[in-house]
Amino acid sequence: DQQVKQNSPSLSVQEGRISILNCDYTNSMFDYFLWYKKYPAEGPTFLISISSIKDKNEDGRFTVFLNKSAKHLSLHIVPSQPGDSAVYFCVSSNTGKLIFGQGTTLQVKP
Amino acid sequence: DGGITQSPKYLFRKEGQNVTLSCEQNLNHDAMYWYRQDPGQGLRLIYYSQIVNDFQKGDIAEGYSVSREKKESFPLTVTSAQKNPTAFYLCASSIQPIGYTFGSGTRLTVV
C-alpha cells in the first residue's frame, strides 16, 4: 500500500524553465511533508519542508505547495539549473516516521 | 564536523553469509534508522531505534537484525535469511521530525 505516490518517474526540463514535481498521499494524519534530493551513490539531503497547517513554503528557488483537500503537494523549482538534476523524493512524516515516495528523476538540460 | 558515517561504501556478500553494515553518528541524535533503496522505489524502513538499547521493526525487517548498544552506533546485519539483499542501504539519524540526516550509503551486492 503506497501511502506516498510520485506518479512521474522522470521529468526533463530546459535550463531556466520551471520544474514541477508532483506528489499524492493517502493519509490525512501526516503532520509534515518534506522533499529530499538525492544524487547517485549518495544519501538524500533535505531540501524543503511544509507543515500540514500551511499551504505554501518558499526557500529561494524552491517552493512547496500543499493542497490538503486534494491530498496533493508539489515542488516548484524556478529557474531550474543543471545542478538540480537528481532524484527527488516526496516524503511524509507521521509522528517522526518518514514515508518515502518512489522518487522522480529530474533532468535539467543546458 | 558532525555527521553520519557509513562503511563500507561497497560490500560484496556470498550466498549464505551474514554481513554487517556500520553506521556511526556524532550528531548526538537519539533516533537512528536504516532504510533500503531498490531501483524505482522509494526508501523503505528496515529498523529504527529511538533510544539506546531499544529498537523497533520497520516495514521490511525480515532477514535483518540490529543492535543499539551505544548512542553513536547502529549497525545493521544482513542475514542469510534475507532473500534479496542486493540493494543500496542508507542510515539516518534525527532529533526531531524534520531533522533527518542521512549517511552516504552502502551498496551491497550478492555474488
Side-chain angles (χ1 to χ4, degrees):
Chain A
D1 180 27
Q2 192 75 28
Q3 296 188 62
V4 178
K5 296 181 183 179
Q6 293 176 256
N7 292 317
S8 297
S10 63
L11 175 67
S12 181
V13 299
Q14 206 67 34
E15 180 179 7
R17 300 289 186 105
I18 185 171
S19 295
I20 301 176
L21 293 92
N22 293 304
C23 177
D24 298 297
Y25 62 94
T26 58
N27 189 343
S28 58
M29 298 301 292
F30 291 144
D31 47 16
Y32 270 97
F33 298 91
L34 310 92
W35 286 91
Y36 276 80
K37 176 180 177 179
K38 184 181 181 299
Y39 294 112
E42 292 184 15
T45 54
F46 172 74
L47 191 59
I48 192 169
S49 68
I50 187 167
S51 164
S52 60
I53 63 173
K54 295 189 174 182
D55 54 20
K56 178 183 176 182
N57 188 25
E58 189 173 355
D59 184 2
R61 297 185 297 114
F62 304 92
T63 304
V64 57
F65 296 93
L66 176 61
N67 182 336
K68 287 186 287 293
S69 61
K71 295 182 182 172
H72 177 85
L73 67 155
S74 61
L75 174 68
H76 292 210
I77 306 173
V78 55
S80 301
Q81 299 174 354
D84 295 329
S85 298
V87 178
Y88 289 79
F89 288 102
C90 173
V91 186
S92 67
S93 172
N94 186 7
T95 61
K97 180 180 172 183
L98 296 187
I99 300 171
F100 284 75
Q102 309 96 310
T104 296
T105 300
L106 173 65
Q107 183 184 21
V108 180
K109 297 180 179 178
Chain B
D1 282 340
I4 295 185
T5 302
Q6 287 187 242
S7 62
K9 194 167 182 65
Y10 299 96
L11 186 58
F12 297 90
R13 191 196 92 169
K14 292 182 179 179
E15 295 274 359
Q17 273 186 339
N18 291 356
V19 289
T20 297
L21 284 61
S22 170
C23 178
E24 303 279 332
Q25 54 103 355
N26 59 4
L27 299 165
N28 201 33
H29 286 174
D30 288 316
M32 296 187 74
Y33 310 81
W34 274 104
Y35 288 88
R36 167 181 171 144
Q37 186 188 15
D38 294 283
Q41 295 194 41
L43 278 65
R44 293 182 292 167
L45 182 64
I46 303 172
Y47 266 99
Y48 64 103
S49 167
Q50 295 185 320
I51 198 168
V52 175
N53 292 323
D54 184 54
F55 49 83
Q56 306 294 330
K57 290 183 178 180
D59 301 316
I60 54 166
E62 186 176 350
Y64 299 97
S65 66
V66 293
S67 63
R68 188 84 187 278
E69 297 175 3
K70 299 185 299 182
K71 188 175 187 177
E72 302 80 15
S73 179
F74 191 40
L76 173 75
T77 297
V78 184
T79 75
S80 57
Q82 170 48 238
K83 300 303 180 190
N84 186 21
T86 295
F88 189 58
Y89 291 86
L90 284 158
C91 179
S93 70
S94 76
I95 198 166
Q96 55 186 314
I98 60 171
Y100 273 62
T101 301
F102 282 85
S104 56
T106 294
R107 181 163 297 280
L108 173 64
T109 304
V110 174
V111 297

